Amino acid sequence: MINLGQDENIAVLLWRAVWGEAMKIKLNVPSSLVNEKCKVDMYLPDAERFPVIVHIHGGGLVDGHRAEPHFQDQAKFFAERGYAFVSVGYRLYTDGARFPDYLNDVAEAVAFVKEQLKNEAEKIVIAGQSAGAWMALLLCLNPEYLRRVNIEPTEIDGWVIESAQTTSHFNVLKQERGCDPRLQRVDEFAPLYYVSDKTSFSRMLLFFYDRDMACREEQNMLFIKSIFYFNPQANLKYQKLVGTHCFGSIKKDENGEYAFARETLKWLKEEGI
């Protein structure tokens, strides 16, 4: 992988340069006029119209970065197949963020992408990894965050959730309340808190792993069963993948593929996106 530089103040535009593919790349693009940490990397296919995947990285709200090499690999994978991949940066606890700063950052990024690509985007899918998946679920289930940027969650054409904590996020409990992060809580920090007879979303694909973090499979199954309890017809598909936490988006499998990207692409095609 070519190092494209670490200057966070410069937007870089490249055609066919990094991987030799028909692709336009814009890096370090500010998605907020207020917060300098909020930038996106945009990997666009060489096409006039395309679906857009807005991806939120994980890292427990204290770590992780939108430009990690495995995200660049998956951006290439999707762009080669006609999908834009936009990797979103947001403020972390290590930057001084508090709840819900990072959620507002991501909502602003979604609005920014929607506006910037309004002439090209056929559909918009929000995807998240771990803490990013926790945020994606909150954006989906609690309309207040996207409504602040004049978007209804039901306008989003799909949601891809990888190994999310559906109870209150462990680092939110630790950072906001000084609680033991092992506690299982369902409050305003928990996607489960917002599941009700009013819950509505277009479609969702949810992943967890057979050797995931403690309680993660159980949290996800409770979420899935709660959704179907209120709406047996909900367009929700879930898969248990092989590996440890988020293995499918961090490491390639024995076939040299990222299982997360492969299975997400298959689902997108099945759903006509």
Side-chain angles (χ1 to χ4, degrees):
M1 184 67 63
I2 295 175
N3 186 345
L4 295 174
Q6 298 301 315
D7 190 340
E8 291 288 332
N9 298 311
I10 299 176
V12 181
L13 176 62
L14 302 173
W15 278 96
R16 304 174 184 262
V18 180
W19 295 287
E21 302 293 342
M23 185 188 318
K24 182 163 61 174
I25 305 173
K26 297 182 180 181
L27 303 179
N28 306 325
V29 181
S31 57
S32 169
L33 297 176
V34 179
N35 300 303
E36 64 177 19
K37 291 285 183 179
C38 301
K39 297 181 180 178
V40 300
D41 294 339
M42 308 175 75
Y43 303 81
L44 312 178
D46 187 7
E48 293 184 1
R49 299 275 292 168
F50 41 74
V52 179
I53 300 168
V54 179
H55 187 268
I56 314 164
H57 71 80
L61 304 172
V62 296
D63 201 358
H65 196 276
R66 67 182 190 277
E68 291 175 11
H70 43 271
F71 297 139
Q72 293 182 13
D73 286 347
Q74 288 165 87
K76 174 193 174 186
F77 174 89
F78 284 109
E80 286 177 342
R81 290 157 178 81
Y83 294 83
F85 188 94
V86 181
S87 193
V88 172
Y90 54 89
R91 288 172 291 169
L92 306 170
Y93 280 117
T94 47
D95 301 315
R98 306 297 292 176
F99 184 93
D101 293 341
Y102 28 76
L103 285 159
N104 290 327
D105 291 347
V106 172
E108 282 190 28
V110 173
F112 173 80
V113 171
K114 193 169 186 284
E115 174 61 24
Q116 289 294 305
L117 299 178
K118 62 185 177 184
N119 295 321
E120 295 91 353
E122 294 176 331
K123 296 180 184 294
I124 294 180
V125 174
I126 296 179
Q129 177 207 57
S130 193
W134 170 81
M135 283 194 279
L137 282 178
L138 284 174
L139 294 183
C140 177
L141 300 169
N142 183 358
E144 71 172 272
Y145 301 111
L146 286 176
R147 283 177 179 167
R148 288 175 185 168
V149 293
N150 300 311
I151 298 173
E152 287 294 324
T154 51
E155 294 177 44
I156 304 302
D157 297 291
W159 303 83
V160 182
I161 308 299
E162 185 192 13
S163 204
Q165 184 161 359
T166 65
T167 55
S168 298
H169 192 277
F170 66 91
N171 258 336
V172 181
L173 290 175
K174 179 180 178 180
Q175 299 285 340
E176 304 285 341
R177 293 185 174 162
C179 292
D180 187 329
R182 296 171 295 181
L183 291 171
Q184 303 299 304
R185 293 288 183 267
V186 177
D187 56 18
E188 67 272 23
F189 302 146
L192 270 166
Y193 182 78
Y194 300 98
V195 176
S196 73
D197 59 344
K198 297 179 176 61
T199 297
S200 178
F201 52 83
S202 54
R203 53 182 62 79
M204 184 179 292
L205 174 63
L206 186 149
F207 298 108
F208 53 87
Y209 292 83
D210 63 356
R211 288 171 285 137
D212 216 313
M213 297 175 70
C215 304
R216 195 54 52 96
E217 179 175 349
E218 291 80 5
Q219 293 162 358
N220 277 263
M221 289 309 304
L222 178 57
F223 175 80
I224 291 162
K225 290 185 177 183
S226 297
I227 291 290
F228 285 131
Y229 187 52
F230 283 108
N231 181 7
Q233 305 306 315
N235 189 348
L236 169 60
K237 180 180 178 181
Y238 64 95
Q239 288 182 255
K240 179 159 68 171
L241 299 177
V242 174
T244 53
H245 183 63
C246 292
F247 182 88
S249 63
I250 296 173
K251 300 288 185 182
K252 294 180 180 180
D253 61 19
E254 64 276 7
N255 298 316
E257 298 177 327
Y258 291 97
F260 169 82
R262 180 186 65 239
E263 296 303 318
T264 296
L265 178 66
K266 185 186 301 183
W267 175 78
L268 291 170
K269 296 296 188 184
E270 289 171 354
E271 292 293 326
I273 297 176

